[in-house]
Amino acid sequence: GNWRQVFPDSEERTVLTHSLGNLGLVTEKLNQKLGNKEFSEKREILLAADQRHELDPITRDILGPPTWNSGAIRAREARKLQALCEIWKISPKN
C-alpha cells in the first residue's frame, strides 16, 4: 500500500519519514527514478542500481526487508545508530 495506508497515524508517519532509518544515500538521478513509487517498485530500481554497482553500501540494507514498514525502518535506524556509536566511541542514549 501507499505511505498513508502503511502508516495511517500521521504522527508516526512524520516521525518515520524523517528518521535515520528511512533515509538512504542515492544520486539525484536515482532519486528521481524512485520518486514516490511504492516500496516494491523502489526495491526493484534499487536492486538494478546495486547490480550496476551504483548503490552506496550504506544504503544497500534497504534491500533486505521485503516490505517497508515501521519495524523495518526502526530496525534499520537502530543499526545505523549502533554503527555511529561504535565509530564515534560513544554509548548509545537509552
Side-chain angles (χ1 to χ4, degrees):
N2 71 35
W3 195 247
R4 290 184 186 273
Q5 289 173 330
V6 176
F7 307 101
D9 180 271
S10 64
E11 188 174 320
E12 180 187 35
R13 186 172 55 247
T14 299
V15 167
L16 293 174
T17 297
H18 301 293
S19 74
L20 179 63
N22 191 50
L23 299 177
L25 295 175
V26 296
T27 64
E28 184 177 347
K29 182 179 175 182
L30 184 55
N31 193 45
Q32 288 174 351
K33 282 185 185 178
L34 296 169
N36 288 327
K37 293 178 172 55
E38 299 284 333
F39 178 70
S40 60
E41 294 174 273
K42 287 182 177 185
R43 194 169 187 276
E44 292 301 317
I45 293 167
L46 291 170
L47 281 167
D50 191 40
Q51 289 175 352
R52 293 187 307 270
H53 307 287
E54 296 174 1
L55 194 61
D56 192 286
I58 200 168
T59 303
R60 190 173 289 128
D61 64 344
I62 290 174
L63 299 173
T67 58
W68 201 239
N69 55 31
S70 64
I73 293 170
R74 291 179 195 281
R76 185 169 185 263
E77 180 171 65
R79 289 191 308 273
K80 298 301 180 198
L81 289 174
Q82 182 62 39
L84 287 172
C85 288
E86 289 173 14
I87 290 166
W88 292 336
K89 300 189 186 334
I90 60 174
S91 297
K93 182 179 176 185
N94 293 329

